[in-house]
Amino acid sequence: MSTINQSGWRPTTPEAGENSTATFTGNRALMLEEPLIFEIGSADTTGVDFGEVPAATSRLGGLERGKAIGLPGLSEPETVRHYTRLSRQNYAIDLGLFPLGSCTMKHNPRLNERMARLPGFADVHPLQPVDTVQGALEVIDQLAHWLITLTGMPAVAMSPKAGAHGELCGVLAIRAALEAKGEGQRKILLVPISAHGTNPASAAFAGFSVEDIPATEDGRVDLEALKARLGPDIAGVMITNPNTCGLFERDMKAISDAVHAAGGYVYCDGANFNAIVGRVRPGDLGVDAMHINLHKTFSTPHGGGGPGSGPVVLSEALAPYAPLPFVEKTADGFHLVDEETAGEHHAGSFGRMTAFQGQMGMFTRALTYILSHGADGLRQVAEDSVLNANYILRSMEDVLDAPFAKSGPCMHEAIFSDAGLPEGFSTIDIAKGLIDEGYHPMTMYFPLVVHGAMLVEPTETESKAALDQFIGAFRSVAARAKNGDPAIKTAPHFAPRRRLDETLAARKPVLTWKEPAVAEAAE
Ligand SMILES: *Cc1c(COP(=O)(O)O)cnc(C)c1O
């Protein structure tokens, strides 16, 4: 083990020998080590010159700070290097294919950024008088119109700020609708076991309890079991379509009809809308509420690259309960309907999801994406994303178990399991091996219904060449795991960090830096 020296870096003594990968600096070629900002520089250093502070008597009444403030001290070049080095330790969609399933990590077109930076959009303030932001409100209104058209639903709540936030919005609308009908006793939402964890969390947050819906052998909702559970205590269902096994729920209309007949509502998790945009309108399938992750389907940056945005489309039955505020178009322009202006017409609204109107920057990017693709281009997005996922599925099924491949083509993501790997080898080894190949790993161990799940979503923005390179790496790593190659058990070999104790990190996270002397004394 090396110890940190005064300048912050940890010199090591490389072992001799052909296979030694240790270096004196700890750097591995262009993978540069970087200590925490507190471990480098010195408190006497600063990147700015301050003028002499004029003498003045303190007016803080004895509350002045007595000790050093403990800020890091770096010159400008040291600061720039620190953050540039840290930024290089990230994987990004701008670096390569990002196979993370259920996340739709697609290219973020630069035109979107250009539009979002126009001063008329970037510099507006949510409290500006509405007659000075007519253009911004028109963007919200146009985007709302597109979402309504693409989903075949009559209304949309634009303000929720992520998929999970949209789920909460939809579930709160269901609760408000039930209460308005005097059916507040309907307290149970049925959710398939394959659902994203946010679904049961949103339901519980809104005061519902959650029961599992069983799945069939082929990875879809078991319609008969669902029907058997419906009754006067059921508020509704939350179903992801296409589901998290990458399969289209073919019985969706029959599910909706049965749930409606039993007095419940249908929430659809629309995170996987990329697979069906322009091809399927969820409104035609009887959905009452569905969130759309603009940051997935409509290409706005996410995963550390930007905030989310999760508008929720609503059916005729739920629209009266939609949250405030929203944009309304009249003969004399665009207006914001809020608590003061809503009046009788919107008296049923369950309240607010956010302080203001939602993520303006993301609305602008998403509308730019939609307008630059057009209706035909959006349909092609869905078709190409499904084609790319099936190319991966069929290119891998001879080396990795593909549990649902027998039931036909997948939608936009391909799922594999760890069945067939030798004793002692599992999904994590394949994920770590992919890091050495220069890829962010796929989604692992989700959904829970597939043992050792590996969920791969290439999206439509990858070329055939990029897919072929990924498939080559994925096949190689999978084959090495299958053949019991011991080196894959200790991968990654080339990353700055190898295998971390993730359980310890989750259970005992160290979230603040303490001076080593203080930390030692505390032990
Ligand atoms: C991403 C995702 C969510 C949550 O969306 P966020 O925008 O991350 O809150 C919910 N369900 C599924 C299936 C998802 O993939």
Side-chain angles (χ1 to χ4, degrees):
M1 209 39 232
S2 54
T3 48
I4 194 151
N5 75 5
Q6 261 182 333
S7 11
W9 50 275
R10 302 169 171 82
T12 50
T13 317
E15 302 148 40
E18 220 174 303
N19 294 325
S20 169
T21 52
T23 56
F24 174 73
T25 50
N27 296 337
R28 290 160 176 262
L30 292 177
M31 296 294 265
L32 304 178
E33 277 295 320
E34 185 61 11
L36 298 177
I37 197 166
F38 298 102
E39 295 174 320
I40 51 180
S42 112
D44 314 328
T45 308
T46 165
V48 236
D49 286 333
F50 290 113
E52 282 294 310
V53 184
T57 29
S58 169
R59 284 181 288 168
L60 291 174
L63 294 172
E64 298 91 335
R65 186 186 297 274
K67 286 193 232 131
I69 193 167
L71 291 178
L74 270 68
S75 68
E76 182 174 306
E78 285 169 333
T79 311
V80 169
R81 279 190 184 160
H82 176 71
Y83 287 107
T84 306
R85 283 165 176 244
L86 287 186
S87 75
R88 291 170 43 128
Q89 297 185 359
N90 263 339
Y91 193 79
I93 189 66
D94 290 346
L95 281 173
L97 186 150
F98 212 127
L100 214 44
S102 212
C103 292
T104 313
M105 303 300 290
K106 61 166 80 177
H107 171 65
N108 312 124
R110 293 310 187 261
L111 180 64
N112 300 356
E113 300 304 318
R114 188 81 196 270
M115 295 301 114
R117 281 166 177 70
L118 291 175
F121 297 131
D123 298 343
V124 293
H125 190 280
L127 292 177
Q128 253 173 268
V130 288
D131 59 336
T132 67
V133 289
Q134 286 292 301
L137 297 188
E138 187 171 1
V139 165
I140 300 179
D141 185 67
Q142 269 201 30
L143 177 60
H145 182 75
W146 271 96
L147 298 180
I148 282 171
T149 307
L150 288 168
T151 56
M153 304 278 283
V156 60
M158 296 298 287
S159 62
K161 295 199 173 182
H165 203 211
E167 290 168 23
L168 182 63
C169 172
V171 171
L172 287 174
I174 291 175
R175 193 177 81 179
L178 288 172
E179 281 169 2
K181 284 197 291 188
E183 296 188 11
Q185 88 285 357
R186 293 180 180 265
K187 282 282 181 223
I188 298 170
L189 276 169
L190 302 176
V191 183
I193 190 95
S194 61
H196 194 273
T198 51
N199 290 193
S202 302
F205 198 89
F208 290 100
S209 50
V210 173
E211 270 183 39
D212 293 340
I213 309 176
T216 56
E217 273 291 294
D218 73 349
R220 294 182 171 88
V221 166
D222 185 335
L223 177 61
E224 292 315 312
L226 169 66
K227 278 185 180 166
R229 183 59 192 86
L230 293 173
D233 54 341
I234 301 297
V237 293
M238 291 182 88
I239 290 180
T240 311
N241 197 17
N243 71 23
T244 59
C245 296
L247 304 169
F248 191 76
E249 293 288 357
R250 298 190 200 110
D251 291 331
M252 196 66 206
K253 183 71 172 72
I255 292 170
S256 301
D257 290 346
V259 171
H260 290 151
Y265 293 97
V266 177
Y267 187 89
C268 180
D269 181 328
N272 296 336
F273 195 46
N274 205 51
I276 56 172
V277 60
R279 304 259 337 192
V280 176
R281 300 190 312 168
D284 298 339
L285 302 177
V287 167
D288 290 299
M290 181 181 94
H291 73 261
I292 299 165
N293 307 60
L294 297 185
H295 47 291
K296 294 180 181 171
T297 307
F298 299 113
S299 84
T300 69
H302 64 304
S309 183
V312 180
V313 286
L314 297 165
S315 64
E316 212 73 71
L318 292 187
Y321 309 100
L324 300 170
F326 52 85
V327 176
E328 208 168 52
K329 188 179 179 182
T330 63
D332 58 344
F334 296 93
H335 304 274
L336 273 178
V337 178
D338 62 16
E339 288 80 352
E340 277 169 25
T341 58
E344 278 301 292
H345 190 47
H346 300 289
S349 167
F350 70 71
R352 270 185 187 240
M353 293 300 294
T354 60
F356 300 116
Q357 286 74 260
Q359 303 283 26
M360 189 63 217
M362 296 302 146
F363 295 158
T364 313
R365 288 174 177 86
L367 182 62
T368 305
Y369 177 84
I370 288 174
L371 293 178
S372 57
H373 279 69
D376 56 336
L378 290 176
R379 168 189 278 254
Q380 198 184 338
V381 161
E383 290 169 355
D384 290 353
S385 74
V386 170
L387 180 66
N388 282 0
N390 278 282
Y391 184 57
I392 290 182
L393 180 66
R394 297 306 166 197
S395 304
M396 292 301 297
E397 61 184 340
D398 60 323
V399 278
L400 272 182
D401 175 60
F404 303 122
K406 296 162 288 293
S407 16
C410 60
M411 294 301 288
H412 61 307
E413 52 198 2
I415 192 161
F416 306 97
S417 88
D418 64 0
L421 295 184
E423 187 66 27
F425 285 78
S426 73
T427 294
I428 189 135
D429 304 314
I430 295 180
K432 298 293 184 190
L434 275 177
I435 295 176
D436 275 344
E437 294 285 351
Y439 288 103
H440 190 288
M442 63 281 158
T443 290
M444 299 186 286
Y445 304 109
F446 173 80
L448 304 173
V449 286
V450 169
H451 196 271
M454 289 168 249
L455 191 61
V456 179
E457 178 181 5
T459 84
E460 71 287 355
T461 61
E462 296 303 328
S463 65
K464 181 165 180 297
L467 293 176
D468 283 337
Q469 193 195 33
F470 174 73
I471 289 165
F474 198 14
R475 284 186 67 88
S476 160
V477 172
R480 288 172 64 196
K482 251 184 136 168
N483 296 333
D485 177 353
I488 211 87
K489 285 260 17 137
T490 49
H493 299 275
F494 305 125
R497 294 294 175 274
R498 310 278 302 271
R499 297 213 180 190
L500 307 179
D501 187 341
E502 287 168 27
T503 313
L504 185 68
R507 293 267 160 88
K508 286 188 170 184
V510 181
L511 301 176
T512 47
W513 180 82
K514 289 200 188 77
E515 259 185 86
V518 179
E520 245 165 62
E523 276 185 10

